[in-house]
Amino acid sequence: MRHDEFLARVRERGEYANQEEAAQVTKAVLDVLAHRITPGEVKDLAAQLPAPLKAALQANGDQRVKSYGVEEFCRRVAERTGARPRTAQWDASAVLSTLAEAVSPGELNQIISQLPSGYAVLFGKPDLSD
């Protein structure tokens, strides 16, 4: 998926005013995600994305994985975007559901397998753990 197409889908899903807002939210969500999955998985994910999205994922280099649930994930997104946590959940879902369409099913499964239950819904997938 091309970068402009990715942002257009995020913009539509998130109901953002323009591509710039969609890009800012995308960068914030990918930054938080990059802290949540292993550095090797960040590299694998980045390999399937256009250059500007790769840069957002790899901006922090090889950092240790931080373990936290969906609420903390959304709080961290909110911190980066200046939104409320509920809005950040909407933002995360707009970006991650688009990401789910942009990468291979195998890569998506690798990412989701590194996250605790509850994250799957942000990617537009049912949470089968309940």
Side-chain angles (χ1 to χ4, degrees):
M1 182 180 298
R2 293 184 337 262
H3 183 244
D4 61 334
E5 183 181 357
F6 190 99
L7 292 181
R9 288 187 187 185
V10 170
R11 179 181 176 189
E12 181 179 317
R13 284 190 172 123
E15 301 175 4
Y16 303 114
N18 53 48
Q19 293 282 95
E20 184 177 309
E21 185 178 5
Q24 291 171 343
V25 168
T26 297
K27 183 179 183 313
V29 172
L30 292 179
D31 181 53
V32 176
L33 180 63
H35 286 89
R36 188 58 192 80
I37 59 178
T38 64
E41 200 55 50
V42 169
K43 288 177 185 164
D44 291 347
L45 174 58
Q48 294 191 23
L49 297 175
L53 300 179
K54 286 180 191 183
L57 275 170
Q58 298 175 326
N60 299 306
D62 291 340
Q63 293 194 4
R64 294 180 53 108
V65 176
K66 296 181 173 97
S67 182
Y68 43 81
V70 174
E71 285 185 24
E72 178 63 13
F73 186 93
C74 293
R75 189 195 68 73
R76 289 172 185 237
V77 169
E79 193 175 81
R80 286 165 175 75
T81 61
R84 295 187 326 237
R86 187 75 179 130
T87 302
Q89 183 176 351
W90 174 269
D91 294 339
S93 184
V95 174
L96 296 178
S97 62
T98 303
L99 183 72
E101 293 176 353
V103 301
S104 70
E107 181 58 29
L108 179 60
N109 287 337
Q110 289 292 323
I111 295 166
I112 292 175
S113 73
Q114 291 193 12
L115 304 170
S117 68
Y119 276 86
V121 295
L122 295 177
F123 289 88
K125 305 293 180 197
D127 186 356
L128 302 175
S129 65
D130 294 335

